[in-house]
Amino acid sequence: MKTSRWREERLRWQGLTAPAADVTGAAARLLAVQSQDFTAGRWALAVRTKGGVRLRDVDAAFDRGDLVRAWTMRGTLHTIPARDLGWVLEVTAARQQQQAASRQRQLGIDDAMIDTVVRELTPRLRDGGLNRSEIFPVLEGIGIDPSGQRGIHLLFALTVAGVLVQGPVVPREGITREQRFVLAADHIRDHARPEDPLAELFVRYVEGHGPAGVADFAWWSGLTLGGSREAAERAATRVTEVEDGVFVGSTPPRRAASRPSVFALGAFDEYYISYADRTVVCAPEHLAAVGPGKNGMIRATVVEHGRVIGCWTHAAAAHTTPPELFEPPEDPAAVTAALARFAAFLASLRADPPPPAPPAPCPPRVTGRGGRRGVGRQCHSLAWRPRKL
């Protein structure tokens, strides 16, 4: 399969040229959407959904309990359908806990401290939940200093243990980036229970990210290469191998009749980040410009015919500043339209947003490599169970 065909197929399986009927469907297609940048994570769902989805529409899915945000894999926040969280953590929690153990020991976090936090937070979270700035004073009140990442690591530990999730969006004027932490047992009403969670994780990854291989799955899931190979073997009858070691789902999603040639994708978007080798979608000389950089950031990208041709910022798109393009686009008007779609996504937050300006002339090409290649992993475990309250 030629690289151009891979890009065409990834646009389809990722739901960019075969969008879902609603936001929850878009989330189910990808299963887990990287969302430490909460605005970018919500846009990732909107851009993969039919119609003019607004930020408030995505927030409504969180408020209804259809979606939650949690540390699902790699110690990184992802948006995930609420019903899928439990079985995903059954596969990924032990690996995440192993990776966080050294830092948590440095912070003095142990089972006794976690049990104390659970005991103190549980009654306070039953009535609508608390945001982070409300939780930290509770920790201080029981003698736990939340500074120096201790508070965040405690929230991570409770989330991976199945106690907490980030659910309803905190209402505020403008773009809210906060959610309320709520008790998973109270908030999540429906639980999917696949027969083989490890195989299911591989199937769902391929159905939302194919064509992709075991190394890509290992990077995305945070599992070991050995565990990832086992996942692929156990899922073999449920996926299609289109090349040696390269898989797609068994039923291709139907492409939309009218498909844009350009997408303005947000920071950390799954189209770029969720593969061991990102040169399929981004030329090697542009990887350093996109990221991850030394600070771990991955920039928002302009994608034309499946290729990354530049970067943009959310604020810039909303205020008409042109994107930074690595090369002239084939269709400048399509770039403008892609950025306008993001501006419309935020339109409910202000009156009459102006259209974005046409793209700027192409700046000098950026050289260097910033993409992360294949990564070895240690063993996984299926020992996850929700922590008892």
Side-chain angles (χ1 to χ4, degrees), residues 11 39 44 47-48 84 89 92 175 178 185 216 220 240 244 258 278-279 292 325 333 336 350 378 387:
L11 289 171
T39 302
V47 78
R48 291 168 168 86
D84 289 312
L89 286 177
T92 65
I175 303 175
E178 275 195 295
D216 298 311
W220 176 81
T240 301
D244 185 23
S258 177
R278 297 171 184 138
T279 60
L325 298 178
T336 300
R350 58 182 182 277
Q378 299 175 11
R387 190 180 185 91

Side-chain angles (χ1 to χ4, degrees), residues 104-105 107-116 154 157 387:
Q104 289 182 0
R105 283 194 297 270
L107 294 169
I109 296 174
D110 56 18
D111 286 346
M113 180 181 289
I114 291 173
D115 289 342
T116 298
L154 282 166
R387 190 180 185 91

Side-chain angles (χ1 to χ4, degrees), residues 31-320:
L31 181 60
V33 178
Q34 190 156 327
S35 300
Q36 71 265 54
D37 181 325
F38 192 30
T39 302
R42 289 176 286 181
W43 171 237
L45 297 177
V47 78
R48 291 168 168 86
T49 305
K50 295 177 181 177
V53 177
R54 300 290 190 264
L55 181 62
R56 61 174 177 261
D57 302 321
V58 185
D59 288 353
F62 283 99
D63 295 342
R64 289 193 303 268
D66 296 339
L67 303 177
V68 295
R69 197 161 57 128
W71 285 276
T72 58
M73 52 200 61
R74 306 193 314 273
T76 302
L77 281 169
H78 286 72
T79 295
I80 185 171
R83 68 189 309 270
D84 289 312
L85 178 62
W87 70 262
V88 169
L89 286 177
E90 183 176 330
V91 180
T92 65
R95 173 66 173 150
Q96 294 191 87
Q97 290 164 337
Q98 178 188 23
Q99 292 173 321
S102 175
R103 179 58 177 150
Q104 289 182 0
R105 283 194 297 270
Q106 293 173 0
L107 294 169
I109 296 174
D110 56 18
D111 286 346
M113 180 181 289
I114 291 173
D115 289 342
T116 298
V117 173
V118 170
R119 192 164 51 249
E120 292 295 325
L121 283 183
T122 296
R124 292 174 169 86
L125 294 175
R126 292 204 183 279
D127 187 19
L130 300 172
N131 62 33
R132 188 172 71 177
S133 63
E134 293 168 334
I135 288 175
F136 283 6
V138 175
L139 300 182
E140 291 172 338
I142 57 175
I144 297 174
D145 180 4
S147 65
Q149 297 185 327
R150 186 174 292 103
I152 290 295
H153 271 273
L154 282 166
L155 293 175
F156 163 82
L158 295 183
T159 299
V160 173
V163 178
L164 303 181
V165 294
Q166 294 185 55
V169 177
V170 176
R172 54 163 284 188
E173 186 176 349
I175 303 175
T176 180
R177 294 177 174 83
E178 275 195 295
Q179 291 170 275
R180 294 192 181 279
F181 286 87
V182 292
L183 296 172
D186 293 346
H187 188 70
I188 300 177
R189 302 177 297 275
D190 178 30
H191 297 269
R193 302 195 183 279
E195 183 176 334
D196 184 342
L198 180 61
E200 181 74 8
L201 191 64
F202 186 82
V203 171
R204 295 286 292 275
Y205 170 72
V206 167
E207 288 179 341
H209 299 80
V214 169
D216 298 311
F217 173 73
W219 192 95
W220 176 81
S221 67
L223 300 180
T224 70
L225 280 170
S228 298
R229 292 188 189 101
E230 181 184 350
E233 290 168 2
R234 286 158 62 167
T237 61
R238 300 175 56 195
V239 297
T240 301
E241 191 169 11
V242 292
E243 288 185 12
D244 185 23
V246 179
F247 304 90
V248 296
S250 59
T251 305
R254 184 185 296 273
R255 290 190 179 96
S258 177
R259 303 184 292 273
S261 61
V262 176
F263 295 93
L265 302 181
F268 303 100
D269 191 86
E270 293 287 310
Y271 184 73
Y272 177 86
I273 197 173
S274 54
Y275 305 94
D277 181 3
R278 297 171 184 138
T279 60
V280 172
V281 301
C282 184
E285 61 267 27
H286 302 320
L287 290 172
V290 179
K294 292 181 179 179
N295 60 359
M297 288 296 298
I298 291 182
R299 301 171 67 192
T301 55
V302 178
V303 174
E304 184 175 46
H305 300 303
R307 294 174 53 251
V308 174
I309 65 164
C311 294
W312 61 286
T313 65
H314 301 173
H319 294 89
T320 77

